[in-house]
Amino acid sequence: ALSRGAAQATFVESDPRAAGTIRANAAALGLSDRAVVVRARVEQAVAASPPVPYQVIFADPPYGLADTDADDLVRALADQPWMAAGGVLVVERRTGGPRPAWPGPLFPQRARRYGEGTLWYGRRP
């Protein structure tokens, strides 16, 4: 997103090595000033209020995560002030898995399959 013009991006990653790789990649692209890396479990990060609501949120929980846990994440994002009005939540799930549970105020928009993964799009009105 940053290399394609996003003003700022926040990455939430619990694995220290993966978080370091994200920081290194942002630095290599000269984008460190626009990348915020939060090293925490996503449940902890989502429980805190964001500095500003986001227009786009991409959630890519591990495929091995229970589907109900992924739905809990979607619900937490909907309940907290993470998404701006008109914002989009993209949830990646394994292809063949269930659709995300879209709690109000989120509404499903579409889905796109890419091999073993499917991207599900929901929008806040």
Side-chain angles (χ1 to χ4, degrees), residues 6 24 28 44 67 69 72 80 98 108:
Q44 296 166 325
D67 293 323
D69 292 339
D72 289 345
Q80 298 293 331

PDB file of all heavy atoms in Angstrom, residues 6 24 28 44 67 69 72 80 98 108:
ATOM      1  N   ALA A   6      -0.257   5.069  -0.449  1.00  0.00           N
ATOM      2  CA  ALA A   6      -0.914   5.275   0.843  1.00  0.00           C
ATOM      3  C   ALA A   6      -0.089   6.244   1.676  1.00  0.00           C
ATOM      4  O   ALA A   6       1.141   6.173   1.702  1.00  0.00           O
ATOM      5  CB  ALA A   6      -1.083   3.952   1.577  1.00  0.00           C
ATOM      6  N   ALA A  24      12.513  -3.599   8.077  1.00  0.00           N
ATOM      7  CA  ALA A  24      13.634  -3.584   7.125  1.00  0.00           C
ATOM      8  C   ALA A  24      13.145  -3.322   5.705  1.00  0.00           C
ATOM      9  O   ALA A  24      13.776  -2.557   4.956  1.00  0.00           O
ATOM     10  CB  ALA A  24      14.403  -4.913   7.191  1.00  0.00           C
ATOM     11  N   ALA A  28      14.191  -0.201   3.380  1.00  0.00           N
ATOM     12  CA  ALA A  28      14.808  -0.413   2.071  1.00  0.00           C
ATOM     13  C   ALA A  28      14.079   0.358   0.976  1.00  0.00           C
ATOM     14  O   ALA A  28      14.697   0.786  -0.007  1.00  0.00           O
ATOM     15  CB  ALA A  28      14.830  -1.906   1.740  1.00  0.00           C
ATOM     16  N   GLN A  44      -4.712  -7.537  21.074  1.00  0.00           N
ATOM     17  CA  GLN A  44      -4.251  -6.432  21.906  1.00  0.00           C
ATOM     18  C   GLN A  44      -4.257  -5.125  21.129  1.00  0.00           C
ATOM     19  O   GLN A  44      -4.669  -4.082  21.635  1.00  0.00           O
ATOM     20  CB  GLN A  44      -2.842  -6.707  22.432  1.00  0.00           C
ATOM     21  CG  GLN A  44      -2.761  -7.891  23.348  1.00  0.00           C
ATOM     22  CD  GLN A  44      -1.322  -8.339  23.572  1.00  0.00           C
ATOM     23  OE1 GLN A  44      -0.490  -8.264  22.667  1.00  0.00           O
ATOM     24  NE2 GLN A  44      -1.045  -8.828  24.765  1.00  0.00           N
ATOM     25  N   ASP A  67     -12.029 -20.411  12.497  1.00  0.00           N
ATOM     26  CA  ASP A  67     -12.870 -19.444  11.795  1.00  0.00           C
ATOM     27  C   ASP A  67     -13.594 -18.522  12.767  1.00  0.00           C
ATOM     28  O   ASP A  67     -13.806 -17.356  12.489  1.00  0.00           O
ATOM     29  CB  ASP A  67     -13.872 -20.162  10.893  1.00  0.00           C
ATOM     30  CG  ASP A  67     -13.175 -20.879   9.742  1.00  0.00           C
ATOM     31  OD1 ASP A  67     -12.179 -20.346   9.220  1.00  0.00           O
ATOM     32  OD2 ASP A  67     -13.627 -21.972   9.379  1.00  0.00           O
ATOM     33  N   ASP A  69     -12.410 -17.435  15.567  1.00  0.00           N
ATOM     34  CA  ASP A  69     -11.443 -16.432  16.011  1.00  0.00           C
ATOM     35  C   ASP A  69     -11.319 -15.315  14.985  1.00  0.00           C
ATOM     36  O   ASP A  69     -11.210 -14.138  15.338  1.00  0.00           O
ATOM     37  CB  ASP A  69     -10.072 -17.058  16.258  1.00  0.00           C
ATOM     38  CG  ASP A  69     -10.061 -17.993  17.461  1.00  0.00           C
ATOM     39  OD1 ASP A  69     -10.953 -17.859  18.323  1.00  0.00           O
ATOM     40  OD2 ASP A  69      -9.163 -18.838  17.533  1.00  0.00           O
ATOM     41  N   ASP A  72     -14.219 -13.153  15.358  1.00  0.00           N
ATOM     42  CA  ASP A  72     -14.050 -12.283  16.532  1.00  0.00           C
ATOM     43  C   ASP A  72     -13.235 -11.052  16.162  1.00  0.00           C
ATOM     44  O   ASP A  72     -13.525  -9.944  16.625  1.00  0.00           O
ATOM     45  CB  ASP A  72     -13.367 -13.034  17.679  1.00  0.00           C
ATOM     46  CG  ASP A  72     -14.262 -14.075  18.326  1.00  0.00           C
ATOM     47  OD1 ASP A  72     -15.497 -14.051  18.097  1.00  0.00           O
ATOM     48  OD2 ASP A  72     -13.720 -14.931  19.058  1.00  0.00           O
ATOM     49  N   GLN A  80     -14.850  -1.231  17.374  1.00  0.00           N
ATOM     50  CA  GLN A  80     -13.904  -0.182  17.751  1.00  0.00           C
ATOM     51  C   GLN A  80     -13.869   0.894  16.659  1.00  0.00           C
ATOM     52  O   GLN A  80     -14.293   0.646  15.538  1.00  0.00           O
ATOM     53  CB  GLN A  80     -12.503  -0.780  17.948  1.00  0.00           C
ATOM     54  CG  GLN A  80     -12.407  -1.794  19.057  1.00  0.00           C
ATOM     55  CD  GLN A  80     -12.622  -1.190  20.428  1.00  0.00           C
ATOM     56  OE1 GLN A  80     -12.325  -0.034  20.653  1.00  0.00           O
ATOM     57  NE2 GLN A  80     -13.149  -1.968  21.345  1.00  0.00           N
ATOM     58  N   PRO A  98     -15.548 -20.749   5.509  1.00  0.00           N
ATOM     59  CA  PRO A  98     -16.804 -19.999   5.565  1.00  0.00           C
ATOM     60  C   PRO A  98     -16.594 -18.511   5.280  1.00  0.00           C
ATOM     61  O   PRO A  98     -15.505 -17.978   5.441  1.00  0.00           O
ATOM     62  CB  PRO A  98     -17.272 -20.218   7.001  1.00  0.00           C
ATOM     63  CG  PRO A  98     -16.013 -20.459   7.764  1.00  0.00           C
ATOM     64  CD  PRO A  98     -15.098 -21.181   6.812  1.00  0.00           C
ATOM     65  N   PRO A 108     -21.283  -6.931   3.610  1.00  0.00           N
ATOM     66  CA  PRO A 108     -20.468  -7.609   2.605  1.00  0.00           C
ATOM     67  C   PRO A 108     -20.603  -6.931   1.247  1.00  0.00           C
ATOM     68  O   PRO A 108     -21.676  -6.458   0.894  1.00  0.00           O
ATOM     69  CB  PRO A 108     -21.028  -9.028   2.582  1.00  0.00           C
ATOM     70  CG  PRO A 108     -22.414  -8.916   3.123  1.00  0.00           C
ATOM     71  CD  PRO A 108     -22.411  -7.744   4.057  1.00  0.00           C
TER      72      PRO A 108
END
